[in-house]
Amino acid sequence: MIIGLTGKYCSGKSSIAEVFEEKGFYVIEVDKLGHAALKIKMNEIEKTFGSIVIKNAEVDRYALGKIIFKSSRKKEMLEKIVHPVMVQEVENILKQRQGENILIDAAILAHMRLHKYCDAVIWIKAPFFKRLFMAMHRDNRGIFFALRRMISQRKLKSNLTKKYVDTYIVHNSGDINSLPDKVDNILKTINSRK
């Protein structure tokens, strides 16, 4: 079974991913694949965005983030460079682990068209102010950084995958103890529809 996990910045995807991992799912963290893609495509990124985004012979994600979150055109330019590498790596992992239970954890699952590999998708939803609070505490970058990230994801919606694959919404109210039961209920529903 392959499940896609998506949702906006600081909605609680990692907490849900942990629950799936405890249930024996192999978790593909697409963000981490993105970090690897930055290394692989460093020369192309430097040519596109300038040496300002390179520090100690690596892509400075903070400097790059400041550029792309201010310009949707530049964000698209970066996506054209790194997304094909990331999608290819997801495909490689799915082939290597064929027959296993897998969770694809990706904020922009639909945008990257990764939902096409999924038997179902879980969209995790959390209130705006809870996400803002989490962002400021987790990333320790301040309110403006958090707001820029949140604004950049304003087009992410749960209905992006609904017409292609069964999509389930989990409301993350902040009670981590309730998440395993919510995941169990979704898995039961998915299994009953097979």
Side-chain angles (χ1 to χ4, degrees), residues 13 42 68 84 98 110 164:
K13 290 185 299 300
M42 184 174 71
I68 66 162
Q98 204 166 8
Y164 305 105

Side-chain angles (χ1 to χ4, degrees), residues 79-169:
E79 288 172 350
K80 282 181 182 169
I81 295 169
V82 296
H83 281 188
V85 176
M86 295 161 72
V87 170
Q88 183 62 60
E89 187 54 28
V90 170
E91 289 173 351
N92 292 343
I93 294 168
L94 293 177
K95 280 178 194 160
Q96 290 163 10
R97 296 186 167 268
Q98 204 166 8
E100 292 182 42
N101 287 330
I102 295 173
L103 182 80
I104 303 173
D105 177 0
I108 54 172
L109 186 90
H111 182 67
M112 293 179 75
R113 304 201 45 76
L114 293 172
H115 62 281
K116 69 183 179 181
Y117 303 107
C118 300
D119 299 304
V121 168
I122 295 173
W123 169 271
I124 184 153
K125 195 171 187 173
F128 175 85
F129 287 108
K130 178 187 184 313
R131 292 191 301 116
L132 183 61
F133 178 81
M134 285 295 299
M136 290 173 63
H137 281 75
R138 186 190 75 182
D139 294 342
N140 202 24
R141 292 257 177 88
I143 192 166
F144 294 111
F145 174 85
L147 287 170
R148 271 199 308 274
R149 288 290 298 267
M150 292 169 91
I151 289 165
S152 76
Q153 292 185 340
R154 67 190 173 278
K155 291 181 182 173
L156 286 182
K157 292 183 172 57
S158 60
N159 64 2
L160 292 175
T161 57
K162 276 185 182 175
K163 62 182 174 182
Y164 305 105
V165 63
D166 286 342
T167 301
Y168 303 87
I169 297 174

